[in-house]
């Protein structure tokens, strides 16, 4: 049976030093984070442990962690705003078309291409 684990990764001299708390004594390293899961599985095999999912957890200093939090928050807000704008655009196109405006007029009023108006009205 395989075991899901967390790989805690800290930068050290151009490498990621990797520790797996669920498997005491399992340490490895990787140049890039995308290599960590494979390195953990290889190291676990040497300990006769089968690893399933590897959750790669980079450990950052406080300032970097704070910036990453702000980044993810901003990305979430941007996604929500884009979803809201898309909904409003669909509603606007629908309303303008039902008011009798041509596709060209709707495109001119909303500032999008003719193709986009057509796609929105067909959605």
């Amino acid at each position: 049976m395989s075991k899901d684990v967390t790989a805690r990764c800290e930068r050290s001299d151009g490498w990621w030093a990797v520790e797996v708390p669920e498997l005491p004594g399992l340490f490895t390293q990787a140049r890039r984070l995308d290599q960590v899961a494979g390195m953990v599985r290889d190291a676990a095999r040497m300990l006769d442990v089968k690893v399933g999912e590897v959750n790669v957890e980079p450990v950052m200093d406080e300032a970097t962690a704070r910036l990453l939090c702000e980044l993810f928050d901003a990305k979430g807000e941007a996604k929500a705003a884009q979803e809201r704008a898309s909904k409003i655009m669909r509603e606007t196109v629908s309303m303008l078309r039902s008011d009798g405006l041509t596709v060209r007029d709707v495109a001119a009023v909303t500032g999008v291409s003719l193709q986009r108006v057509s796609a929105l009205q067909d959605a």
Side-chain angles (χ1 to χ4, degrees), residues 92-110 112-114 117-118 121:
T92 303
V93 166
S94 177
M95 182 179 292
L96 292 172
R97 289 293 287 144
S98 67
D99 285 347
L101 272 72
T102 66
V103 170
R104 286 186 185 279
D105 286 343
V106 173
V109 169
T110 59
V112 297
S113 69
L114 298 171
V117 170
S118 295
Q121 75 179 10

Side-chain angles (χ1 to χ4, degrees), residues 35-56:
Q35 299 171 330
V36 169
M39 298 301 287
V40 166
R41 285 190 182 90
D42 288 347
R45 251 190 307 277
M46 287 191 271
L47 299 173
D48 291 323
V49 176
K50 186 171 181 177
V51 170
E53 185 73 26
V54 177
N55 177 33
V56 177

